[in-house]
Amino acid sequence: MSTTLSSYNPADPADLVVQLETAGAEGTAAAVERARAAQPGWLAAGAGARSAALTRAAAAVEGAAEELTALVEREVGKPRGEAAGELARTVAILRYYAQAPYAPTGAVHEPAAGAGLLLTRRRPHGVAGLITPWNFPLAIPVWKLAPALATGNTAVLKPAPEATACALRLAELLALPEGVLEVVPGAAEEGTALLDGADVVSFTGSTATGGAVVRACAARGVPVQAEMGGVNAALVLPDADIEQAAAHLAYAVAGYAGQKCTATSRIIAVGAAYQPLREALAKALAGQAEVVINQGARERLAGAIDSALAGGAQLVAGGQLPQRQGWFIEPTVLDQVPADHPLLAEEFFGPLAVLLPAADLDEAIALANANRHSLACSVHSRDLDAALAAADRLTAGMIRINAPSSGVDFHLPFGGAKAASFGAREQGQAALEFYTASRTVTLLPGGGAR
């Protein structure tokens, strides 16, 4: 059943960005069928046609850079610099996957005996169901749909309600053949209907929803990948450049209000690094205010801060709600947080982190690995041996040395460990493999039996 969907500017809640009817379960099912009808023709058009379509799409997005940057800034509250960076990344992803249709799709093998050929070949699944969040309203949809389309699938995109305008405008600019990319505005009802019809599913969102997505796909025997965020740690060793580390951490905690699955939420200071890092963080974060996506997010963050302080935590930086229009909050770092507080175990998805002491590197690694949401981790040290040793022992899916945890290289595999991710990695060559299935073909001369 369709309902009315409204998306507002989080920096100005009176600013209605878009209002429309949701697709509903029936509309979503119809979109899947349109994509399914279009898929054979999209595959048969060949590598050249798919490559050209993605190349044109990249040019169209780049040509609308100012418009899209402003729309991202308005609809999801992303600072203009970060919105422009996301736009540039989106273009680069499209150009990268525009070459993928020409990549090898298999190999030729020698038969065990006699004449003939043994072939392996990767083929598309059919209709890719893509469920995406609001925090990267252009880049995440594109890093899912571009490899899906490049390999001959068609796609149905169900964006987060808060990023509906961005998704619809992106689809218009891509200007793909009818049925090749369908966008279904909506929420849980549309997501469930998409899971019921898609042939392969890629999801990015919360852990709770991701678990439900995985279970639904497993029941149907549908390939699925689910990226579910992280409670990411940063290890700062005593020999680190403390000022540089604090600058990296301030960005990893507060960049786009910490609304990134790779944001740092646990800062682990080793030995003598603790006090100077505490002071440097307070200085690096002073005077900042960031907008979060909606009122509920701000209330959730404020509640976590208040409960931690009530339990004995101390403010290192931030902690206030600026009295201004929009859903703003000061980036906040707390220390002495009670060991049983949810901040140490759960993702709050905002500019909020805890500072923890560790006696040595062994204890720091144990603290970092203790959390089940192991997506990204950073290590800050001038000692290359120590940094590499830590990288070998940390269980996170992505480890960055002397850099913020909140960074992604779109041509390399993206994903976490334990509860942070399920299924195959996203991006790069891994994405091309996820959106295809391997087939083994035996070719014998004259149709003879073996």
Side-chain angles (χ1 to χ4, degrees):
M1 181 178 68
S2 64
T3 59
T4 300
L5 181 155
S6 302
S7 177
Y8 292 90
N9 179 349
D12 180 6
D15 177 19
L16 177 63
V17 181
V18 67
Q19 187 172 68
L20 44 69
E21 292 298 305
T22 60
E26 290 186 4
T28 303
V32 170
E33 290 311 307
R34 289 194 295 271
R36 179 160 287 114
Q39 193 270 329
W42 176 245
L43 177 62
R50 296 196 299 278
S51 176
L54 291 173
T55 299
R56 289 192 300 270
V61 171
E62 187 173 45
E66 285 299 317
E67 174 199 350
L68 287 175
T69 297
L71 181 58
V72 169
E73 184 180 18
R74 181 185 175 204
E75 187 171 33
V76 301
K78 184 165 285 192
R80 188 165 187 81
E82 291 216 21
E86 180 179 350
L87 185 284
R89 181 189 299 185
T90 302
V91 173
I93 292 168
L94 286 165
R95 288 187 172 141
Y96 173 81
Y97 285 112
Q99 303 309 307
Y102 294 113
T105 60
V108 179
H109 301 264
E110 285 292 319
L117 293 174
L118 297 179
L119 312 175
T120 58
R121 192 180 188 192
R122 302 199 70 87
R123 307 301 287 165
H125 294 290
V127 177
L130 313 176
I131 301 175
T132 58
W134 48 262
N135 59 329
F136 286 87
L138 303 179
I140 292 181
V142 165
W143 85 39
K144 293 179 187 295
L145 67 87
L149 298 178
T151 51
N153 301 276
T154 51
V156 179
L157 170 64
K158 206 295 290 179
E162 298 88 346
T164 299
C166 289
L168 292 172
R169 184 62 182 129
L170 176 66
E172 288 176 352
L173 288 165
L174 297 187
L176 294 161
E178 184 176 355
V180 170
L181 173 61
E182 296 280 334
V183 178
V184 289
E189 179 182 352
E190 289 73 17
T192 300
L194 184 53
L195 297 180
D196 289 340
D199 302 308
V200 58
V201 172
S202 181
F203 166 88
T204 300
S206 71
T207 300
T209 304
V213 168
V214 170
R215 290 189 294 272
C217 291
R220 293 183 57 227
V222 170
V224 58
Q225 61 184 188
E227 294 299 334
M228 298 173 283
V231 184
N232 306 304
L235 281 60
V236 182
L237 278 62
D239 69 297
D241 182 328
I242 296 296
E243 295 300 320
Q244 181 189 68
H248 287 162
L249 291 171
Y251 174 74
V253 170
Y256 187 33
Q259 296 174 130
K260 303 176 183 179
C261 57
T262 53
T264 294
S265 56
R266 295 180 298 145
I267 302 166
I268 303 171
V270 179
Y274 188 89
Q275 190 58 37
L277 181 62
R278 189 184 195 280
E279 295 169 0
L281 285 169
K283 181 179 178 181
L285 291 168
Q288 294 189 38
E290 301 288 336
V291 66
V292 294
I293 191 64
N294 53 37
Q295 183 178 5
R298 189 171 74 156
E299 290 177 351
R300 183 179 66 253
L301 292 162
I305 294 168
D306 289 344
S307 67
L309 292 173
Q314 300 294 312
L315 277 174
V316 175
Q320 302 300 312
L321 302 180
Q323 299 303 305
R324 57 189 289 189
Q325 185 179 46
W327 310 122
F328 285 87
I329 188 171
E330 290 182 352
T332 301
V333 176
L334 300 163
D335 67 358
Q336 301 178 50
V337 174
D340 60 350
H341 196 277
L343 279 173
L344 297 175
E346 300 174 13
E347 183 183 47
F348 279 80
F349 216 63
L352 176 56
V354 298
L355 176 62
L356 301 167
D360 52 29
L361 183 58
D362 287 342
E363 183 180 0
I365 291 172
L367 284 170
N369 288 345
N371 194 282
R372 57 193 292 266
H373 303 285
S374 299
L375 178 59
C377 186
S378 65
V379 180
H380 304 265
S381 173
R382 290 187 175 97
D383 185 339
L384 181 61
D385 288 344
L388 290 176
D392 281 344
R393 297 169 60 192
L394 290 164
T395 57
M398 296 177 292
I399 300 165
R400 292 166 61 82
I401 309 298
N402 294 322
S405 64
S406 53
V408 174
D409 297 295
F410 64 81
H411 56 295
L412 295 179
F414 175 88
K418 297 182 279 190
S421 298
F422 181 91
R425 290 293 193 246
E426 295 199 85
Q427 305 193 139
Q429 180 64 33
L432 301 176
E433 294 175 359
F434 171 71
Y435 289 108
T436 55
S438 180
R439 297 177 183 173
T440 299
V441 180
T442 302
L443 180 61
L444 300 179
R450 293 183 62 118

